[in-house]
Amino acid sequence: QKEVEQDPGPLSVPEGAIVSLNCTYSNSAFQYFMWYRQYSRKGPELLMYTYSSGNKEDGRFTAQVDKSSKYISLFIRDSQPSDSATYLCAMSEAGTYKYIFGTGTRLKVLA
Amino acid sequence: NAGVMQNPRHLVRRRGQEARLRCSPMKGHSHVYWYRQLPEEGLKFMVYLQKENIIDESGMPKERFSAEFPKEGPSILRIQQVVRGDSAAYFCASSPTDRVITGELFFGEGSRLTVL
């Protein structure tokens, strides 16, 4: 079993839709949770990070962490074609510097 | 402030040759990570370095791979006697000390190694 599981997609949605991206994990020691966006042939860029459980909102993006279920989500409201990219979740244990990434979910927002 | 610079962006090597990938972190960042990405796979941790020190190399194969981050100059990922299975995109990321815990890594655009 992988430490971090993420559906590879592709996920296709119409412009303006609400997108839900998810990851599950097995290591209950994970405390820091990140979402990165990666455009084709580019490096990942950090979108959001959260510590422990709860929600965090930044513009059209909302990150949720449910540690009891070992499940994290990224919601994108009013999705745009420019949001078309691969979204990677990442997580780490407190006090360590090794970040474990999911395989990424490919998102296509259709105009 | 320039971003993380990686070079070369593309590198072609024949089996048995050496590959050297360079990474200049963002200014003021003393923490460097190397990740490998295979097609349709996520980023696999290889090594984490601070200036002149290897902190964690648990993700790096014991043979043929080495990494350094000298006091002066870029971080280098070196792959000796490359094999076809080494073909991948290699990403470098850097972080300032106060962002390492929160996972705020700044990635370069990657070096794509093709082994013929």
Side-chain angles (χ1 to χ4, degrees), chain A residues 32 36 38 43-44 97-99, chain B residues 33 35 37 58 100-101 103 105:
Chain A
Y32 292 93
Y36 284 82
Q38 185 176 22
Y97 307 103
K98 188 191 300 186
Y99 300 96
Chain B
Y33 296 77
Y35 282 84
Q37 187 174 44
S58 60
V100 172
I101 288 288
L105 304 180

Side-chain angles (χ1 to χ4, degrees), chain B residues 2-116:
Chain B
V4 176
M5 304 300 292
Q6 288 188 249
N7 67 82
R9 292 292 310 279
H10 300 276
L11 183 63
V12 179
R13 285 287 179 266
R14 295 190 182 279
R15 281 179 297 169
Q17 291 184 319
E18 178 179 289
R20 283 195 182 215
L21 309 177
R22 286 175 289 277
C23 169
S24 296
M26 290 180 70
K27 187 176 180 180
H29 290 193
S30 59
H31 301 258
V32 165
Y33 296 77
W34 285 94
Y35 282 84
R36 177 163 63 178
Q37 187 174 44
L38 293 167
E40 308 304 323
E41 291 191 19
L43 293 162
K44 302 295 184 189
F45 169 80
M46 297 183 75
V47 61
Y48 163 49
L49 310 104
Q50 292 184 31
K51 280 287 187 182
E52 299 185 272
N53 291 304
I54 296 174
I55 307 301
D56 186 337
E57 56 182 347
S58 60
M60 200 157 64
K62 293 280 188 284
E63 297 181 0
R64 302 190 298 109
F65 286 74
S66 62
E68 62 178 12
F69 187 16
K71 188 176 180 181
E72 302 289 338
S75 175
I76 306 284
L77 179 67
R78 182 183 179 203
I79 311 172
Q80 295 178 291
Q81 299 176 326
V82 296
V83 301
R84 288 216 174 102
D86 296 332
S87 296
Y90 292 83
F91 286 95
C92 170
S94 72
S95 185
T97 299
D98 63 347
R99 303 284 183 91
V100 172
I101 288 288
T102 54
E104 294 180 74
L105 304 180
F106 297 81
F107 281 85
E109 300 214 325
S111 291
R112 282 161 180 79
L113 172 65
T114 301
V115 180
L116 301 177

Side-chain angles (χ1 to χ4, degrees), chain A residues 44-78:
Chain A
E45 57 177 324
L46 179 69
L47 279 177
M48 298 185 73
Y49 77 89
T50 53
Y51 171 68
S52 196
S53 286
N55 294 0
K56 186 173 183 179
E57 189 174 320
D58 184 1
R60 295 185 296 114
F61 298 91
T62 300
Q64 284 187 354
V65 175
D66 181 350
K67 291 193 71 183
S68 62
S69 301
K70 298 192 183 71
Y71 188 87
I72 69 171
S73 301
L74 177 71
F75 297 96
I76 307 174
R77 289 183 298 281
D78 187 26

